[in-house]
Amino acid sequence: MEGGVVLLDFWASMFGMRVRIALAEKEIKYEYSEQDLRNKSDLLLQMNPVHKKIPVLIHNGKPICESLVQVQYIDEVWNDQAPLLPADPYKRATARFWADFVDKKMYDSGSRIWKTKGEEQEAAKKEFIENLKLLEGELGDNLYFGGEGFGYVDVALVPFYCWFYAYEQCGNFSIEAECPKLIAWAKRCMQKESVAKSLADPEKVYEFLLQLKKAYGIE
Amino acid sequence: MSKAAGLLILDYWVSPFCQRVKIALNEKGLQYEDRHENDLFGGKSELLLKSNPVYQKVPVFLHDGKPVCESTIIVSYIDETWSSPPLLPPCSYGRAQARFWADYIDKKVFDATGNIWRSKEVNVEAKNEFIGILKQLEEALGDKDYFNGATFGFVDIIAIPLTCWFLAVERIGGFTVAEECPKFSSWTKRCLQRESVAKALPDPEKVYEFVLMFRKMQGIE
């Protein structure tokens, strides 16, 4: 039995959801602590002084920051069940590559869909779909990015699924029409309890996004 | 020196990301072919385009023909495939810290140097941001000889090639790292004494010449 686990998080964060999924996959009991990002707690600032961001995973009082670092840590420490990264070094490198691709590309292009209008928004939508199609290519005919089993890249990407509805509403387009295979994969993942209970309600995410847009002064 | 079949790097001489891979291979005592891309700006090789279709960038590491892309991922792959000497600490928490700092360096350092040397005028804000990043790294280093602890390792490999660009940044920005961040400067000198590092890194004067040529090409001079 490993020591106390605490997750400093924000309900709508895709990055926080990654960690929630990993913890659920491993059946780890932890304390979930919802953070107010407009008024950051002393604990958050103390545990992540470098970036001052959520999620922060605290294990035995020691903080680990950055969601993919956290997922790898969880995978290494609780290695008795539900392996997320494969054992083979080449497959691990491939998994890390695609998780890194998700990090580099998805958040940025997704954000530009709701932050911009007109030509800029069209360009953001195009880039977002192109990135999803590349991911579809990598998925191929597999059930999951991890192959037969749910794994690291699935954990990295699936949280974005609950933001798709918000992006579609803001951008006036259908992601399923463009990337049916990826949506089929996402729905498959949502049948897993670890995913279903970790992802936010897409309607609530959209409401939250509308508030964000107002706060940013975006129509 | 052990020979491992079919190790190839697609390389560009000035790329600190390629140098990370070379240092890692040198640390492991591995022999490899270093194949230079002669023209990154106009004519990338077919092998590069085929091996890294997503980003079309160097470095690409090919192990028996199978490509691995993204320098930090390549260094992890090398460490996991050839286990001796280990580049990451043995405990999970130490590894998480190493990955965190590698990610911080990846996100911050090269862009911060670019904000200085791509700027026509001396950019005080960019200089302060750069110094701030180095001071943050000094804090992470603490009293240790290396980011990895008593021995040279993963984070040191990720960071050290970027220091070849600091001469250019100093000359264009009008400051010295040694004066602003003496601890970081000492760590740099310590790493450069390692053969695995010294033989992988270019002369900072040549990097400075490259930066000047780039500035001229971009009409920044």
Side-chain angles (χ1 to χ4, degrees), chain B residues 25-60:
Chain B
L25 291 167
N26 293 342
E27 281 286 313
K28 301 286 186 177
L30 295 165
Q31 286 181 14
Y32 54 91
E33 184 191 339
D34 188 2
R35 195 178 297 177
H36 289 87
E37 289 285 317
N38 290 319
D39 185 7
L40 280 188
F41 303 103
K44 291 176 180 177
S45 74
E46 259 191 62
L47 183 59
L48 174 57
L49 298 174
K50 192 178 78 156
S51 308
N52 192 355
V54 174
Y55 299 118
Q56 300 179 1
K57 283 182 175 180
V58 290
V60 178

Side-chain angles (χ1 to χ4, degrees), chain A residues 183-194:
Chain A
I183 298 300
W185 158 83
K187 288 180 176 162
R188 189 178 304 125
C189 291
M190 284 295 287
Q191 282 169 8
K192 292 175 71 64
E193 200 190 336
S194 61

Side-chain angles (χ1 to χ4, degrees), chain B residues 2-209:
Chain B
S2 83
K3 252 196 173 152
L7 303 190
L8 168 63
I9 302 180
L10 302 184
D11 187 11
Y12 189 67
W13 74 273
V14 81
S15 161
F17 308 102
C18 296
Q19 290 145 21
R20 290 170 171 176
V21 179
K22 288 190 266 192
I23 295 169
L25 291 167
N26 293 342
E27 281 286 313
K28 301 286 186 177
L30 295 165
Q31 286 181 14
Y32 54 91
E33 184 191 339
D34 188 2
R35 195 178 297 177
H36 289 87
E37 289 285 317
N38 290 319
D39 185 7
L40 280 188
F41 303 103
K44 291 176 180 177
S45 74
E46 259 191 62
L47 183 59
L48 174 57
L49 298 174
K50 192 178 78 156
S51 308
N52 192 355
V54 174
Y55 299 118
Q56 300 179 1
K57 283 182 175 180
V58 290
V60 178
F61 178 64
L62 289 125
H63 183 194
D64 292 340
K66 294 198 295 186
V68 185
C69 305
E70 293 303 292
S71 60
T72 305
I73 294 172
I74 298 170
V75 173
S76 295
Y77 173 77
I78 290 167
D79 194 36
E80 288 177 3
T81 306
W82 295 276
S83 52
S84 178
L87 300 176
L88 278 168
C91 74
S92 297
Y93 190 73
R95 295 153 87 83
Q97 293 304 97
R99 288 175 182 138
F100 173 85
W101 287 109
D103 175 72
Y104 177 84
I105 290 160
D106 260 350
K107 281 184 166 101
K108 301 275 190 181
V109 179
F110 196 65
D111 282 353
T113 64
N115 289 338
I116 296 173
W117 62 258
R118 285 176 203 265
S119 174
K120 193 167 189 169
E121 309 294 328
V122 170
N123 186 337
V124 176
E125 206 183 301
K127 173 203 157 185
N128 289 340
E129 195 200 341
F130 175 73
I131 298 297
I133 290 165
L134 293 193
K135 284 196 190 297
Q136 181 71 81
L137 289 171
E138 280 188 324
E139 229 182 282
L141 184 60
D143 293 321
K144 307 193 296 290
D145 276 350
Y146 301 102
F147 285 98
N148 197 47
T151 55
F152 183 80
F154 189 74
V155 178
D156 307 285
I157 293 174
I158 298 305
I160 193 66
L162 298 163
T163 66
C164 298
W165 291 70
F166 290 4
L167 179 69
V169 157
E170 287 170 333
R171 290 211 180 135
I172 293 165
F175 64 96
T176 71
V177 172
E179 210 175 293
E180 302 276 354
C181 305
K183 215 184 208 178
F184 193 90
S185 202
S186 303
W187 164 83
T188 304
K189 292 195 176 91
R190 193 174 301 124
C191 291
L192 291 174
Q193 281 166 8
R194 295 181 75 77
E195 199 194 333
S196 65
V197 174
K199 69 180 186 180
L201 297 188
D203 180 350
E205 289 284 358
K206 292 216 152 53
V207 177
Y208 177 55
E209 275 169 38

Side-chain angles (χ1 to χ4, degrees), chain A residues 94-112:
Chain A
T94 305
R96 285 180 174 134
F97 175 87
W98 286 104
D100 177 70
F101 175 86
V102 173
D103 257 5
K104 280 184 163 82
K105 299 282 190 181
M106 298 305 299
Y107 186 75
D108 188 59
S109 53
S111 296
R112 276 185 284 122

